[in-house]
Amino acid sequence: MSTRRAFLEGALAVSALAVTSSPKNAASKPKKGEPKEDDAHPVDPPPSLTFQTMTFPKTSMLGKTSVVIAAIPKDLPKDARLPLVILLPGGVHTKQKPEHGCWAWWSDFGLGGVETALRRGQLSKDDFKSLIDDARLAAFNQSLATTPYRGAVILTPWVINRQTNPVPHGVTIPPFLRDLITRARAELPVIPTRAATGLGGVSVGGLWAMYAGAQVSDLVSTIVAAQPFTEDLDRLLRKTFAARKEVQRLRIITATGDRLRPMNAQLAKLLQKDGVPLEIEEYPGYHNGNFPAGPGGIDMMMTFDRALERAAPAPAL
């Protein structure tokens, strides 16, 4: 059987084992409607969350249906509201069927493990896939000791894949995000403000978080892009951020072994030169699923936890 594919269409070479045409292999082929071996797929929620499925038929994304997994913290007090975090998938997942690609963060990027580790309140090197040094690990744990992780309602939608020129498909995503945020605010226990709404993504999803997120700056206050696919897109992204209606917090997370690291660093310098406030953070690692399942995902969710507005507690009776 083939190994799991790297999640970026331009990722480092992925080795594969040859699959021979034999009765055994033919019998193991998925039935119609079932995910292929390499597809993202449903998994059980972590202990702290429940999953709901939201479907958006005939979206602005060329009329395609989108499927969204809504992860909602358990045992919320009545009328409690939490920040809203939307996480976009990697490039390979945008090419999968919507009912598969929406599971990318859970089945392929280990978001359930990230959520569980943060709620534990004491992180280990294993939680970071060993992609962190002792000093930074201690800093994370000190932050959690001072302010425990509080969680959010997390949405993981399927979105359309990019083309060589990302604009034709990319411009279809902001209207979908507007529909998604509007519906989430109406149906889910979220705080209905831009200050409480964050958008993130990894790889191509990181590109879309930046490109589409800047176009919905009236709805989203914080953008976190992990290993964003920004190659040859400096001009487009600078123009997009220059046209924003509202200032946002922008954070780029990259890895030392990622071939996109120089492009991410160069873009960050250019955006800073343009007066765009942003942070860029770097960890060991490569452009593969271990990064969002480790330092990329932990940093992203910690950033949202600290940056997004939270409802003030009700006054004591």
Side-chain angles (χ1 to χ4, degrees):
M1 294 189 296
S2 62
T3 58
R4 180 168 292 279
R5 294 177 295 182
F7 60 84
L8 173 65
E9 52 195 26
L12 299 174
V14 179
S15 62
L17 300 177
V19 179
T20 60
S21 178
S22 67
K24 180 179 179 180
N25 288 325
S28 66
K29 289 181 179 180
K31 297 178 181 179
K32 185 176 180 180
E34 291 182 347
K36 298 176 183 177
E37 179 194 2
D38 289 337
D39 282 350
H41 52 82
V43 296
D44 293 333
S48 58
L49 302 175
T50 60
F51 284 158
Q52 295 182 16
T53 301
M54 305 170 71
T55 302
F56 289 76
K58 296 183 179 179
T59 68
S60 58
M61 296 180 292
L62 307 184
K64 295 180 181 293
T65 295
S66 179
V67 180
V68 182
I69 304 304
I72 303 168
K74 292 181 179 178
D75 303 322
L76 283 179
K78 184 180 179 180
D79 298 326
R81 295 291 182 268
L82 293 173
L84 172 64
V85 172
I86 302 167
L87 300 181
L88 305 182
V92 73
H93 305 107
T94 64
K95 298 178 181 180
Q96 295 173 4
K97 292 181 179 180
E99 62 268 28
H100 301 157
C102 63
W103 286 100
W105 273 95
W106 305 103
S107 69
D108 292 11
F109 298 158
L111 185 57
V114 169
E115 165 83 8
T116 298
L118 288 171
R119 288 188 180 276
R120 187 195 316 127
Q122 183 71 26
L123 300 171
S124 69
K125 285 193 173 183
D126 286 344
D127 296 321
F128 285 89
K129 311 302 180 187
S130 298
L131 302 175
I132 195 168
D133 59 35
D134 290 338
R136 292 174 103 181
L137 177 61
F140 270 97
N141 283 325
Q142 180 59 50
S143 178
L144 287 170
T146 302
T147 306
Y149 177 75
R150 296 158 293 181
V153 173
I154 305 169
L155 303 184
T156 58
W158 174 89
V159 293
I160 198 167
N161 64 291
R162 60 162 287 170
Q163 297 171 297
T164 302
N165 178 351
V167 173
H169 283 183
V171 297
T172 71
I173 296 177
F176 167 68
L177 291 177
R178 291 186 179 279
D179 291 344
L180 176 58
I181 292 169
T182 298
R183 183 171 164 187
R185 289 176 177 176
E187 298 180 9
L188 301 176
V190 301
I191 303 167
T193 65
R194 76 177 291 272
T197 305
L199 178 66
V202 63
S203 189
V204 169
L207 163 64
W208 287 150
M210 297 176 70
Y211 179 69
Q215 297 177 60
V216 294
S217 62
D218 56 314
L219 296 177
V220 171
S221 66
T222 303
I223 297 171
V224 185
Q227 301 177 295
F229 194 95
T230 61
E231 187 172 13
D232 299 326
L233 298 176
D234 292 353
R235 180 177 297 182
L236 173 65
L237 290 170
R238 292 173 74 184
K239 181 179 179 180
T240 303
F241 275 92
R244 284 187 306 180
K245 297 179 180 179
E246 303 278 352
V247 175
Q248 296 163 302
R249 179 174 180 177
L250 171 61
R251 185 173 178 85
I252 297 173
I253 309 169
T254 187
T256 55
D258 186 355
R259 75 170 187 85
L260 295 173
R261 172 179 171 251
M263 297 81 157
N264 292 168
Q266 175 66 14
L267 175 62
K269 289 180 181 179
L270 292 171
L271 288 174
Q272 289 170 334
K273 182 179 178 180
D274 295 339
V276 175
L278 65 86
E279 309 142 23
I280 182 165
E281 194 68 32
E282 181 176 284
Y283 295 90
Y286 299 92
H287 206 111
N288 58 33
N290 266 347
F291 194 78
I298 292 174
D299 187 307
M300 184 176 291
M301 295 309 297
M302 280 280 283
T303 297
F304 287 131
D305 194 72
R306 274 49 177 150
L308 298 181
E309 176 186 75
R310 293 181 177 271
L317 297 179

